């Protein structure tokens, strides 16, 4: 599996992957994440324009998508965390909108491996009902840090992992 920067011409395929990921979430009991048109075509296009969008390829087929933002404080919703604390205040990467077509295993692992090849601290949040993602994060060495709130005011479980330099 290869990871490459997404291009605007990939957007139709990325939106299909997102719809497939929503179906997987619903089948696993997660009825409240990625609702009301989120993530929209406009959000994905902005990810691509900002050069934060990546696709996972098997041969030439797009089988996964994620947004990776890196910076000193790339996620404004992470400024306030309740019922816990972040592990550190170092610059970090954040993965958003991780989506798999469901046709290939290992999309999340590859996305996070890619993130850690770019920066040694990654933060991520997920819906409390997204049990498969929470299990993946815990099994991958992420630490539960508390609760953050996304822009619509809904809570998310927040995780962080730091790897040695």
């Amino acid at each position: 599996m290869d990871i490459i920067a997404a291009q605007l011409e990939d957007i139709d395929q990325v939106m299909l992957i997102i719809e497939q990921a929503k179906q997987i979430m619903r089948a696993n009991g997660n009825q409240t994440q990625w609702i009301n048109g989120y993530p929209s075509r406009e959000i994905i296009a902005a990810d691509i324009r900002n050069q934060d969008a990546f696709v996972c390829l098997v041969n030439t087929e797009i089988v996964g998508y994620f947004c990776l933002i890196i910076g000193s404080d790339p996620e404004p919703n992470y400024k306030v965390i309740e019922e816990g604390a972040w592990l550190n205040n170092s610059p970090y990467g954040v993965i958003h909108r991780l989506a798999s077509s469901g046709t290939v295993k290992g999309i999340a692992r590859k996305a996070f491996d890619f993130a850690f090849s770019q920066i040694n601290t990654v933060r991520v949040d997920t819906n409390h009902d997204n049990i498969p993602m929470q299990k993946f994060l815990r099994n991958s060495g992420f630490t539960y840090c508390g609760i953050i709130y996304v822009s619509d005011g809904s809570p998310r479980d927040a995780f962080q992992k730091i790897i040695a330099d």
Side-chain angles (χ1 to χ4, degrees):
M1 184 181 314
D2 294 313
I3 293 178
I4 63 168
Q7 305 299 316
L8 284 173
E9 57 264 23
D10 298 328
I11 200 161
D12 289 337
Q13 187 61 36
V14 168
M15 295 311 296
L16 178 61
I17 300 284
I18 286 170
E19 286 307 313
Q20 292 166 323
K22 287 179 182 181
Q23 292 173 10
I24 293 166
M25 282 191 243
R26 303 304 175 256
N28 283 287
N30 182 353
Q31 305 301 316
T32 59
Q33 190 171 357
W34 289 11
I35 58 172
N36 301 323
Y38 181 88
S40 68
R41 186 177 192 87
E42 293 75 23
I43 289 171
I44 301 304
D47 289 347
I48 294 169
R49 282 192 302 275
N50 293 332
Q51 299 181 332
D52 296 328
F54 298 90
V55 291
C56 304
L57 298 176
V58 171
N59 300 317
T60 58
E61 180 185 357
I62 297 175
V63 295
Y65 172 82
F66 64 97
C67 172
L68 171 64
I69 306 169
I70 296 175
S72 59
D73 196 13
E75 178 48 68
N77 293 323
Y78 289 0
K79 290 187 187 312
V80 175
I81 187 166
E82 296 179 353
E83 299 180 32
W86 295 112
L87 301 178
N88 66 16
N89 292 316
S90 298
Y92 62 92
V94 59
I95 289 185
H96 285 309
R97 297 177 277 288
L98 176 60
S100 169
S101 66
T103 59
V104 175
K105 298 257 187 229
I107 301 291
R109 170 77 47 226
K110 286 295 266 189
F112 282 98
D113 287 350
F114 179 82
F116 281 112
S117 76
Q118 308 297 309
I119 193 162
N120 70 344
T121 299
V122 173
R123 294 179 181 178
V124 65
D125 65 87
T126 191
N127 190 292
H128 187 71
D129 294 334
N130 194 339
I131 303 304
M133 178 55 86
Q134 290 192 30
K135 183 177 178 185
F136 168 82
L137 292 169
R138 285 187 168 94
N139 289 343
S140 299
F142 278 78
T143 300
Y144 173 78
C145 294
I147 299 170
I148 61 97
Y149 293 87
V150 294
S151 55
D152 72 1
S154 59
R156 296 288 185 269
D157 292 343
F159 295 83
Q160 183 176 6
K161 181 178 177 180
I162 304 165
I163 58 171
D165 289 328

